[in-house]
Amino acid sequence: MGVMSSQSSAADPQRNPILRATFPIPFAEVGAEHVAPALRYALAEAERAYEAVAAARPPYRYDDLLGRLDRTGAWLDRVVSTVSHLNAVRQDAAMREAWSEALPELTAFGARVASDPRVYRVLHAYSETEEAAALPPEKARHLRLTLDEMRRAGAGLDEAGRARVEAIKSELATWSNTFQNNVLDGVSAYALDVRDEGRLRGIPPSARERARQAAEEAGEEGWRFTLHQPSYLAVLDHADDRALRQEMYQAAQQRGTGEGRDNRAVVPRILALRRSLAELLGYQHWADLVTEDRMAGDGATAVRFERDTFARVEPHLRDEVRDLEAFARERLGIERLQPWDVRYAFERLRSERFDVEQEALRPWFPLDRVQSAAFELAYELYGLRIEQAWTDTAWHEDVDYFEVYREDGTWVGAFYTDWAPRPGKRDGAWLIGLQTGGPDGDGFEPHLAAMCGNLTPADGDRPALLTHGEARTVFHEFGHLLHHLSSTVEVRERAGTNVPWDFVEVPSHLMENWLYEAPSLHRIARHVDDGRPLDEEVIQRLRQARACGAAYHMARQLSFGTVDLALHIDFDPAGDEDPVAFGTRVMAPFQIRPDAVPEGFLPSFAHIFAGGYAAGYYGYMWSEMLEADAFDRFREAGLYDPEVGAAFRDQVLSRGNGAPPDALMRGFLGRDPNPDAMLARNLGAARQARRD
């Protein structure tokens, strides 16, 4: 009997921790046996709400219709987020089974209610009432967006069409979950044990010690390296042993292609289902469907943005590649760069040309100091006071808990941090909104979220010491957190980070800038032993080193966005071409050479095949375009100007999707965004760095 079919006392909402209406969520008490009963209970509650709206009769009232659905949706989101979050940070066989079995029911429900013609007719009828015409802007926008979303979900189709939409979405969810699990299994399945210490030359001592401990814990001799990011990048960035780099790189390319977890068979199925769904809903392809309600507006605009940006980046990329190839020949003895050489060569070039090594900077970026500096910035700019608090609700002993208050003492909410890698935890870094606050009587319910990642862990009694890149990860996710916590939008479905995907990265990208400016680095970068700041000369070299490889990294991001759009616009799932071969061809112009495309990239590209970025990966660069322009206003005012901070908080962070993103940006900037700001910042600095 499957987990979703089990019956136990966990079905009692008073005894099921997932359903307990407490704050924060009691994660520590949640087991796999709670998943099915909790989700069934929450789905039943949501079903009743939708049935009530479907059966509504005039006179219609907002609170009885959209208000009720928003409150019910927030509760269902909390339940689903609790389970999906645990599946990402504490996955075991039982939790995976519970989530996998629940997913089809959840997806089917979402597809069904999103296209329910009865609800659609009621909301459309309400939209023509005098009350709807007099709604305040946020609620009026919510009504308009809801009707648009229901139309795109198939509410205007006949019964057979809606059933087909529901079936496709359910199957898509299953395949996407399979894709993610295959990648996670691929990461967990690989370990490289090195017994010859000579092969470790160049790898930092801290990474060597972690590898030694990993081998010891596995009962092996020597040093153990894995595909978890801190371990993997320690080799790719620093190992002098070229064969070792190659072995790790090629193992990473097989994360999604190993026996029993081969995503090459999953990718075409997902693409075919997406194309079928888009055509069923009246769109030429998936990209037009998903971008219609985003800033780009349609797939062609997103493609044009990627193409035009790369046209300006490519000359700089070719200059960088020639420079890197010459450096590799002359200084590293590498006659022909291979993909496993690129990160290593750039790291060595930075080290020699700018005398900046990521590993040497670790003592200046202890995790607790990086976090506290981010918290201080939030207070100075946005008036948010963050305090560590005690809780027994966390899912692991590595997790910390913080509460957030406004300057007047108003409680905003709370968040968890979970930064260390471990078995059963998905790779990468992310922010999950666990509860979105909203109106509650005369007050506002608190927000709850979790920042998660896979950063270099603490070493014995030594605190976690981060590279500058890892510190950027903390600031990036903290930007997402501020977006979630700052929301004052009354409609929870439009609050916080529930914004168009090509806008959601603006607050996160923006935060990274403070890790490159001298005045802010004087505050942030403090030595772990004596608290002394980073030398001014080192800061200047760090700023120069930022530009080293800037065009390459922009091209890399553009390659991801371009292949994503091409797969969802140009690739024909009904044709004979293999999508992985198609993707390789599309990505070739963006590489150091056309033959240097990472062969295992697409089968492990979870952002578009297991996440929400399908036909939307361009949004990373689109958001960077916007934040580069926004940051110019902060920098011109001295980085910590509370008036500029208040303007960004009030015009952007707090507004969620309560207004169109382009209007929010105009409200903050006082003009339309300038797309040249990003290129001037990145490529102008890159040109100067090569000249120097």
Side-chain angles (χ1 to χ4, degrees):
M1 181 177 292
V3 175
M4 280 298 286
S5 301
S6 65
Q7 297 294 327
S8 72
S9 59
D12 181 354
Q14 300 302 315
R15 301 174 63 181
N16 190 314
I18 299 175
L19 297 174
R20 200 177 303 151
T22 57
F23 192 98
I25 298 168
F27 287 104
E29 300 176 38
V30 176
E33 70 276 9
H34 298 115
V35 170
L39 290 173
R40 282 226 176 87
Y41 183 89
L43 285 173
E45 289 283 298
E47 192 79 64
R48 280 191 287 274
Y50 275 92
E51 286 299 321
V53 171
R57 296 291 181 269
Y60 298 121
R61 296 290 180 263
Y62 179 94
D63 196 56
D64 297 331
L65 304 176
L66 287 167
R68 179 169 186 170
L69 294 181
D70 188 52
R71 291 189 298 273
T72 301
W75 170 247
L76 179 60
D77 285 346
R78 171 179 155 131
V79 172
V80 173
S81 294
T82 299
V83 179
S84 64
H85 174 62
L86 286 176
N87 190 56
V89 297
R90 200 189 69 191
Q91 188 187 91
D92 55 24
M95 185 61 72
R96 174 186 287 199
E97 181 186 2
W99 177 242
S100 296
E101 291 194 32
L103 203 55
E105 291 188 31
L106 289 169
T107 307
F109 170 80
R112 187 172 67 255
V113 299
S115 62
D116 189 323
R118 302 170 302 158
V119 173
Y120 187 61
R121 283 194 295 269
V122 168
L123 294 182
H124 192 274
Y126 170 69
S127 71
E128 298 176 341
T129 65
E130 291 184 5
E131 182 188 286
L135 284 173
E138 283 185 358
K139 290 182 177 179
R141 176 172 170 78
H142 177 49
L143 172 59
R144 186 167 58 253
L145 291 178
T146 299
L147 288 170
D148 284 345
E149 289 160 357
M150 294 194 74
R151 173 183 54 79
R152 286 195 299 274
L157 299 177
D158 60 20
E159 185 176 354
R162 293 193 304 274
R164 180 61 182 145
V165 167
E166 182 179 334
I168 292 175
K169 287 186 175 180
S170 181
E171 189 176 354
L172 267 173
T174 299
W175 282 115
S176 295
N177 190 50
T178 297
F179 187 101
Q180 178 65 57
N181 287 338
N182 285 345
V183 175
L184 183 61
D185 288 347
V187 171
S188 300
Y190 180 81
L192 175 62
D193 293 319
V194 177
R195 291 182 170 79
D196 178 3
E197 188 171 6
R199 300 195 70 191
L200 305 183
R201 281 192 300 271
I203 297 178
S206 59
R208 292 193 196 193
E209 177 57 23
R210 291 193 302 274
R212 187 198 63 76
Q213 292 175 3
E216 184 178 288
E217 291 170 3
E220 298 289 341
E221 296 180 1
W223 299 263
R224 169 163 286 200
F225 295 93
T226 71
L227 297 180
H228 291 288
Q229 196 169 59
S231 179
Y232 174 72
L233 293 184
V235 175
L236 266 289
D237 287 353
H238 302 291
D240 294 336
D241 188 326
R242 194 182 187 195
L244 182 62
R245 297 199 306 270
Q246 180 179 357
E247 189 169 355
M248 289 290 287
Y249 174 87
Q250 291 178 336
Q253 298 309 302
Q254 297 171 25
R255 286 173 298 170
T257 60
E259 184 177 353
R261 49 177 170 79
D262 195 343
N263 279 333
R264 287 174 296 190
V266 179
V267 167
R269 188 60 186 154
I270 290 175
L271 292 174
L273 287 167
R274 286 175 178 166
R275 176 62 68 95
S276 296
L277 181 57
E279 292 175 348
L280 181 61
L281 294 171
Y283 294 84
Q284 185 176 356
H285 45 64
W286 181 260
D288 275 354
L289 170 61
V290 300
T291 57
E292 186 178 57
D293 65 340
R294 300 182 183 182
M295 294 187 75
D298 55 49
T301 300
V303 169
R304 189 163 52 250
F305 169 74
E306 293 278 297
R307 183 194 63 220
D308 293 350
T309 304
F310 183 61
R312 299 177 68 175
V313 170
E314 187 175 21
H316 299 269
L317 171 66
R318 296 307 154 207
D319 288 344
E320 283 187 356
V321 170
R322 283 191 290 270
D323 188 28
L324 191 68
E325 287 175 333
F327 175 81
R329 282 193 304 270
E330 297 166 9
R331 303 292 298 139
L332 306 178
I334 298 175
E335 287 299 320
R336 183 175 173 81
L337 280 174
Q338 297 294 346
W340 49 87
D341 298 319
V342 175
R343 292 185 64 97
Y344 173 77
F346 268 127
E347 190 65 27
R348 289 291 300 273
L349 189 150
R350 285 190 200 96
S351 177
E352 292 198 14
R353 193 164 291 178
F354 306 108
D355 193 22
V356 173
E357 293 186 17
Q358 286 282 327
E359 290 300 315
L361 294 176
R362 282 190 188 272
W364 275 270
F365 293 101
L367 175 57
D368 57 352
R369 175 60 205 147
V370 171
Q371 274 198 164
S372 62
F375 297 170
E376 290 163 11
L377 189 151
Y379 181 73
E380 291 192 52
L381 286 178
Y382 308 126
L384 295 176
R385 177 166 49 86
I386 299 172
E387 299 177 353
Q388 188 160 8
W390 180 88
T391 183
D392 59 357
T393 64
W395 52 91
H396 192 274
E397 61 183 9
D398 291 340
V399 175
D400 290 320
Y401 178 72
F402 301 86
E403 293 182 342
V404 186
Y405 301 86
R406 293 196 183 93
E407 287 180 290
D408 62 5
T410 303
W411 187 33
V412 172
F415 63 94
Y416 299 93
T417 61
D418 182 2
W419 294 120
R422 58 179 176 271
K425 183 179 180 183
R426 60 168 271 206
D427 204 8
W430 66 95
L431 183 284
I432 181 169
L434 298 166
Q435 175 174 301
T436 301
D440 180 28
D442 295 331
F444 206 84
E445 285 186 344
H447 303 292
L448 183 67
M451 288 195 295
C452 304
N454 287 269
L455 308 178
T456 302
D459 184 5
D461 295 333
R462 193 81 162 160
L465 302 179
L466 309 183
T467 65
H468 182 261
E470 288 177 317
R472 283 175 55 197
T473 295
V474 174
F475 267 55
H476 181 98
E477 300 309 331
F478 189 66
H480 285 309
L481 179 71
L482 290 173
H483 203 183
H484 179 77
L485 292 173
S486 300
S487 178
T488 58
V489 178
E490 290 188 17
V491 182
R492 298 176 203 238
E493 192 173 341
R494 309 297 169 191
T497 59
N498 296 319
V499 299
W501 283 76
D502 48 9
F503 186 64
V504 73
E505 297 292 337
V506 170
S508 54
H509 278 309
L510 181 77
M511 278 293 298
E512 295 183 35
N513 288 288
W514 273 267
L515 281 162
Y516 286 102
E517 300 294 322
S520 49
L521 276 171
H522 286 314
R523 300 184 181 196
I524 298 166
R526 297 280 177 167
H527 198 280
V528 65
D529 293 328
D530 54 23
R532 70 181 186 276
L534 201 59
D535 291 342
E536 181 66 35
E537 182 184 354
V538 176
I539 291 175
Q540 293 308 314
R541 292 201 303 268
L542 181 64
R543 285 170 55 80
Q544 291 174 323
R546 180 188 192 183
C548 180
Y552 171 81
H553 291 295
M554 287 186 72
R556 183 172 180 268
Q557 285 294 96
L558 288 165
S559 76
F560 298 163
T562 299
V563 74
D564 171 31
L565 289 166
L567 285 166
H568 291 103
I569 295 176
D570 303 319
F571 179 75
D572 181 7
D576 296 328
E577 187 171 12
D578 170 41
V580 175
F582 173 88
T584 299
R585 178 163 52 82
V586 171
M587 293 179 72
F590 299 84
Q591 312 303 311
I592 57 170
R593 292 187 312 276
D595 65 349
V597 178
E599 67 274 12
F601 174 70
L602 278 184
S604 60
F605 197 4
H607 275 77
I608 69 168
F609 292 116
Y613 280 91
Y617 199 93
Y618 77 91
Y620 275 108
M621 192 68 72
W622 186 287
S623 292
E624 187 176 351
M625 169 189 69
L626 297 173
E627 64 79 12
D629 197 14
F631 184 67
D632 279 349
R633 184 178 174 191
F634 281 95
R635 183 170 47 225
E636 290 165 3
L639 298 178
Y640 291 92
D641 188 298
E643 290 187 10
V644 177
F648 191 72
R649 178 196 63 210
D650 296 341
Q651 295 290 339
V652 179
L653 291 178
S654 68
R655 300 290 300 280
N657 197 16
D662 55 345
L664 299 182
M665 290 302 298
R666 281 196 299 271
F668 174 66
L669 294 169
R671 54 170 172 75
D672 288 333
N674 175 14
D676 292 335
M678 171 184 68
L679 296 167
R681 178 185 69 186
N682 295 355
L683 300 182
R687 185 186 304 112
Q688 184 62 45
R690 288 195 301 276
R691 186 181 302 124
D692 293 343

